[in-house]
Amino acid sequence: MTRWTAADIPDQTGRTALITGANSGLGRRSAQALAERGARVLIACRDAEKGRAALAEIARTATTAPELVELDLTDLASIHRAADAVRDRTDGLDVLMNNAGVMATPRRSTSDGFELQIGTNHLGHAALTWLLLPALRPGARVVTVSSLAHRFGGLDVDDLNFTRRRYQPLRAYSQSKLANLLFALELDRAAKRAGRDLISVAAHPGMAMTELTGNSSRLRAMPDAVHDVVGLGTRLVTQPAERGALPQLYAATARGVRGGDYFGPGGIGELRGHPSRARLSKAARDAGTAARLWAVTAEHTGVAPSWS
């Protein structure tokens, strides 16, 4: 693929996209880009005040006014309400972008008792996706945002919540991002088995300067002087959020994208650059683990995919 940019996004008039975590970072940049190309964009976020501020910013250049959907991915009841709201307010979705996430947090639990990172990054998005399957139009794309960190640790399907293992923030983050990829690829396989016209793909931003990286718990805990030096180093090796959002925008809109594809920056180490095909770890390609995760996710969330 060539040096693809947001200017290459095809006309999105008549298309509807739901983006989680679209009040900031990669989600907001993605929402802005799609809205500027004519899409009806639903911004799903937990903080309504921040959501309204993002709406006002995006609306300044949008051709179609964006809309707010209140969604707390750490609360299954909120996920059900959001899915109901989307089904009630639209006649279908063309893009579901599972973008929101938390990174390297201290040990915390969601409203439903899940470890916060696996609960937010994977379980919440899986439940939302399954609840919205009937609302996805033929040819719709589900874009799940993963990370380079998916390569840095394994996934224990039988201990997603670290009840038996010692909790390590970065290990838990890596596990959640690997779960994102396993889910995206299994969703593609399940859609094909069901004969459903659905494209499930994944993307990662490389090293992008967003609120997620800038506010990680490890960086916040450093002394001020060290914090400043590390922060400067981070800015030197990362790319702006606008560039970091390009792989997920490519996955959501570019022609020729196929189910099971994975995109990231095309530069050295996939850290920065224009969108290109990304490398999946061996663990991410394990269909057996993906199938087990699919089943355990349904047990944990009480939600199962409905293809009708």
Side-chain angles (χ1 to χ4, degrees), residues 22-23 32 43 51 58 99 102 133 196 207 219 226 241 258 269:
N23 58 293
Q32 188 104 48
I43 294 174
I58 293 167
N99 162 84
V102 293
L133 282 177
R196 183 70 180 272
M207 285 289 288
L219 185 58
V226 178
R258 298 171 298 178

Side-chain angles (χ1 to χ4, degrees), residues 68-285:
L68 179 65
V69 174
E70 292 191 36
L71 168 67
D72 183 351
L73 287 165
T74 70
D75 183 347
L76 285 169
S78 173
I79 294 169
H80 279 270
R81 288 193 297 270
D84 288 342
V86 171
R87 290 192 298 264
D88 290 344
R89 288 163 52 180
T90 73
D91 58 1
L93 292 176
D94 300 285
V95 174
L96 170 58
M97 189 177 288
N98 292 323
N99 162 84
V102 293
M103 176 182 174
T105 62
R107 181 167 194 131
R108 297 175 188 161
S109 297
T110 70
S111 300
D112 303 287
F114 307 132
E115 185 277 314
L116 182 63
Q117 296 189 80
I118 197 71
T120 304
N121 299 350
H122 167 62
L123 294 173
H125 277 127
L128 179 68
T129 300
W130 285 343
L131 289 168
L132 288 175
L133 282 177
L136 296 176
R137 293 171 176 156
R141 299 189 191 185
V142 177
V143 180
T144 300
V145 179
S146 184
S147 167
L148 285 168
H150 92 272
R151 303 174 186 169
F152 305 147
L155 180 145
D156 187 338
V157 176
D158 298 317
D159 189 27
L160 292 179
N161 296 300
F162 285 84
T163 56
R164 296 194 302 268
R165 295 173 290 164
R166 183 170 68 88
Y167 179 77
Q168 297 173 300
L170 288 174
R171 185 179 182 186
Y173 178 68
S174 175
Q175 171 182 261
S176 72
K177 294 287 100 180
L178 175 55
N180 285 151
L181 270 177
L182 288 165
F183 177 78
L185 297 179
E186 185 63 16
L187 179 61
D188 174 61
R189 288 187 284 263
K192 289 173 179 172
R193 289 193 297 268
R196 183 70 180 272
D197 184 7
L198 172 70
I199 298 173
S200 176
V201 292
H204 77 83
M207 285 289 288
M209 194 59 197
T210 68
E211 288 85 347
L212 186 66
T213 53
N215 294 319
S216 73
S217 62
R218 178 163 291 191
L219 185 58
R220 290 197 309 271
M222 292 177 178
D224 289 345
V226 178
H227 181 286
D228 291 343
V229 172
V230 174
L232 174 61
T234 300
R235 288 191 291 275
L236 290 175
V237 300
T238 58
Q239 58 185 352
E242 292 90 340
R243 291 282 295 274
L246 290 180
Q248 62 202 64
L249 285 166
Y250 186 94
T253 67
R255 296 179 178 88
V257 172
R258 298 171 298 178
D261 282 346
Y262 181 41
F263 301 101
I268 296 173
E270 299 181 14
L271 295 176
R272 53 195 296 148
H274 294 270
S276 182
R277 296 195 183 277
R279 181 173 66 85
L280 289 160
S281 68
K282 181 179 179 181
R285 300 193 303 271

